Amino acid sequence: MTPGRLRIQTIILVLLFCSVAGAFDLPHERPETGGPVFDYAGIITGQSALEAHLNTLLITADIEMLVVTLPSLDGREMNSVSAGLMTDWRVGGRTKGLRGILFLLAVKEKTLRLEVGYDLEWMFPDGFVGYLEQDQMTPFFELGRISDGLAAGVEMVIARAYEQLEEHGTSLQTDGGTYSGGAGAGRKVDIGSIRVPEIIPYSGEVKEYLSAQPTPALAVLRNIEKNRRHIKGADFDLYTDETRIVSRDWPFTPAQMDNEVKALFGKDFRIYGQGDLAVAVFPPRDRQAAPYLLSRSAKGWQIDLASMRRFIRFDMRNRFHVYFKDNPYLPLFLRNYAFDQFGYLYEKGQEPPYTGLGRWEEDKGGIIIKKVIPGGPADKAGLRTGDLILRVDGATTSNNAEFYRALRKCGAGRTALLEIKGFIRNKTVPVKLEVFDAAGFSQQE
């Protein structure tokens, strides 16, 4: 292509997008003060939490994702609008390559488009994008839960990004290309078009198969098979009464079911019970295989999905962790396993030492303390918010990986020497590392 022809095409593209942007009153360049979410349609709730996930994705995985909602396309083509936004807003420009993703939703036209950057085509092929939109996001949109649908889509993209990076490593950086690689997919979505019935009719054979079970293990296996078959809803005796009541407006998306089956298929689990409560625990090292919580009624053993949603949380990498406060299932875990302070499960004796630091970040060649837990080891040693940790037992801690490695090498029950940056000279603070007490912590939350 000749330079002259390239300039002409560029001018045409810019003029086209300027007319589109004017129709939506969009700035030609991305606003500097904006975060990764631009809700021009005013439909997103929980925007700050969504932006926090996207900012973390940029920092930890070098992937920049924007979410943009528009009240209307005003007669324009969705593909040209998304490509124009991708280019003019330089989505992916804050990464080391062209690693950008754009979620674009036009409310009036009920149209969704996911645009994938040049350096991420291998990670998010069109088949995955179409599956994400149809089987994960659309069921939420049909219920009118637009924010939940966007959040579910973002979570699935993030989970796949980390899965692919861990399996294949960082992709090669490009020397050229465009911000949009031409990959992606779009679809019509019926926003708020479906009313969920109070009872979803199923055959007697299905209801019998999904009845309460004589053992917790059989209940778990029946639920996994239900997900494999994409049987929606929880209006079966396999689930507790509370679950059946509160789950009537929960979307059971095919993508969610597929992800759970993929995480659990072929894996062993153990049952730990006491009285009428039980937990099914998969090997703790597999953090995407979340445990099951079960209770026994007069009908038999039932899955307590209501408590699972209350007490089992997932981070942006789709790794489960357990919430401690008022959790009646916690003692069943603690009989055989241990937790760290963030609720991640470990085999006993393999948990990381407890420092009593509630939050910290990488900063200026060290680890800066953002929160100290009252009564914890750091608090007892006199560490305070704002202290910068440079070394642990002589090992540098310029990033999180080095910090964790140094603490693990020291181990629980030992005293670690933390070098703290001072105004005039550095100081060394001895911190007696402990084993985290989840039971005691749950009473203090």
Side-chain angles (χ1 to χ4, degrees):
M1 182 180 295
T2 65
R5 184 179 178 186
L6 177 61
R7 284 195 296 270
I8 291 173
Q9 288 191 349
T10 302
I11 291 171
I12 291 174
L13 177 62
V14 171
L15 289 176
L16 174 63
F17 183 66
C18 281
S19 65
V20 173
F24 309 124
D25 206 19
L26 283 171
H28 181 67
E29 297 181 352
R30 190 196 317 184
E32 290 295 329
T33 57
V37 178
F38 298 85
D39 184 23
Y40 294 109
I43 58 174
I44 296 179
T45 58
Q47 181 169 325
S48 59
L50 186 59
E51 290 189 339
H53 281 317
L54 298 180
N55 287 328
T56 302
L57 180 67
L58 175 61
I59 294 171
T60 59
D62 194 36
I63 295 175
E64 182 178 35
M65 188 190 312
L66 299 190
V67 174
V68 179
T69 70
L70 302 174
S72 173
L73 292 173
D74 291 337
R76 307 292 180 175
E77 287 286 338
M78 175 61 115
N79 290 359
S80 65
V81 175
S82 62
L85 271 175
M86 197 80 173
T87 300
D88 282 17
W89 282 24
R90 299 172 59 86
V91 182
R94 296 176 182 176
T95 70
K96 295 176 182 177
L98 301 175
R99 300 163 64 92
I101 302 174
L102 172 68
F103 269 116
L104 180 62
L105 175 67
V107 176
K108 181 180 178 181
E109 292 78 8
K110 300 181 179 180
T111 304
L112 172 70
R113 172 80 184 174
L114 193 152
E115 196 84 15
V116 179
Y118 191 86
D119 275 351
L120 294 177
E121 291 181 8
W122 67 275
M123 187 181 291
F124 304 105
D126 290 355
F128 167 80
V129 174
Y131 173 74
L132 165 73
E133 293 173 344
Q134 177 176 341
D135 291 348
Q136 177 75 334
M137 302 177 72
T138 297
F140 286 94
F141 292 150
E142 289 177 338
L143 295 174
R145 295 170 57 175
I146 299 176
S147 291
D148 291 340
L150 288 171
V154 168
E155 288 172 1
M156 190 169 176
V157 167
I158 290 173
R160 179 174 176 86
Y162 282 112
E163 178 185 84
Q164 293 295 306
L165 289 173
E166 288 176 359
E167 182 176 350
H168 302 290
T170 305
S171 63
L172 295 176
Q173 308 300 335
T174 59
D175 296 324
T178 58
Y179 282 94
S180 173
R187 65 178 286 106
K188 298 286 289 185
V189 291
D190 291 327
I191 299 174
S193 63
I194 295 178
R195 174 175 294 177
V196 180
E198 290 190 3
I199 297 178
I200 301 176
Y202 283 105
S203 68
E205 181 182 355
V206 172
K207 288 188 175 182
E208 176 64 25
Y209 184 79
L210 298 178
S211 61
Q213 297 297 305
T215 68
L218 282 175
V220 171
L221 293 174
R222 292 291 170 95
N223 186 75
I224 295 174
E225 179 62 18
K226 168 186 176 289
N227 288 332
R228 193 185 68 81
R229 297 186 188 184
H230 287 180
I231 299 175
K232 297 182 179 180
D235 195 30
F236 305 99
D237 284 340
L238 183 62
Y239 304 101
T240 62
D241 290 344
E242 182 187 7
T243 294
R244 297 176 71 176
I245 293 172
V246 302
S247 66
R248 286 174 180 168
D249 62 345
W250 291 352
F252 289 80
T253 73
Q256 290 172 331
M257 296 182 190
D258 289 344
N259 285 342
E260 182 170 338
V261 172
K262 179 182 177 182
L264 303 182
F265 189 77
K267 294 184 172 66
D268 296 329
F269 62 90
R270 296 180 179 179
I271 300 292
Y272 303 99
Q274 184 173 9
D276 291 331
L277 298 180
V279 295
V281 184
F282 296 84
R285 64 180 179 275
D286 190 346
R287 302 211 176 281
Q288 293 187 339
Y292 276 75
L293 308 181
L294 305 101
S295 67
R296 180 170 52 190
S297 70
K299 300 176 182 178
W301 283 99
Q302 299 170 306
I303 295 173
D304 189 357
L305 280 182
S307 290
M308 289 170 65
R309 293 212 169 191
R310 191 178 304 130
F311 298 118
I312 299 178
R313 315 283 176 84
F314 291 86
D315 63 17
M316 63 180 298
R317 299 177 67 175
N318 205 32
R319 301 175 303 181
F320 80 87
H321 51 107
V322 176
Y323 181 66
F324 302 137
K325 183 68 172 178
D326 298 325
N327 185 344
Y329 293 91
L330 183 61
L332 302 183
F333 287 101
L334 295 178
R335 289 166 58 188
N336 297 278
Y337 299 96
F339 290 96
D340 68 11
Q341 68 192 78
F342 303 109
Y344 293 101
L345 190 67
Y346 291 85
E347 300 283 356
K348 279 192 174 181
Q350 297 182 12
E351 68 275 19
Y354 176 51
T355 62
L357 298 179
R359 190 162 59 89
W360 61 87
E361 297 176 359
E362 298 175 5
D363 186 82
K364 299 176 182 177
I367 299 296
I368 188 168
I369 299 174
K370 292 293 186 178
K371 180 181 178 181
V372 176
I373 298 175
D379 184 39
K380 294 175 184 177
L383 294 179
R384 296 293 177 260
T385 299
D387 284 344
L388 184 66
I389 303 172
L390 300 176
R391 292 176 180 81
V392 173
D393 283 352
T396 59
T397 55
S398 59
N399 55 54
N400 282 323
E402 291 179 349
F403 186 51
Y404 278 116
R405 192 179 304 119
L407 290 174
R408 282 186 172 278
K409 186 175 181 180
C410 183
R414 294 182 55 192
T415 297
L417 300 179
L418 276 60
E419 183 178 336
I420 309 299
K421 183 177 178 59
F423 289 107
I424 300 175
R425 61 181 180 181
N426 298 342
K427 60 179 179 180
T428 299
V429 179
V431 179
K432 179 66 177 299
L433 302 178
E434 301 176 1
V435 174
F436 179 71
D437 178 15
F441 189 78
S442 66
Q443 300 170 5
Q444 301 171 14
E445 280 189 301

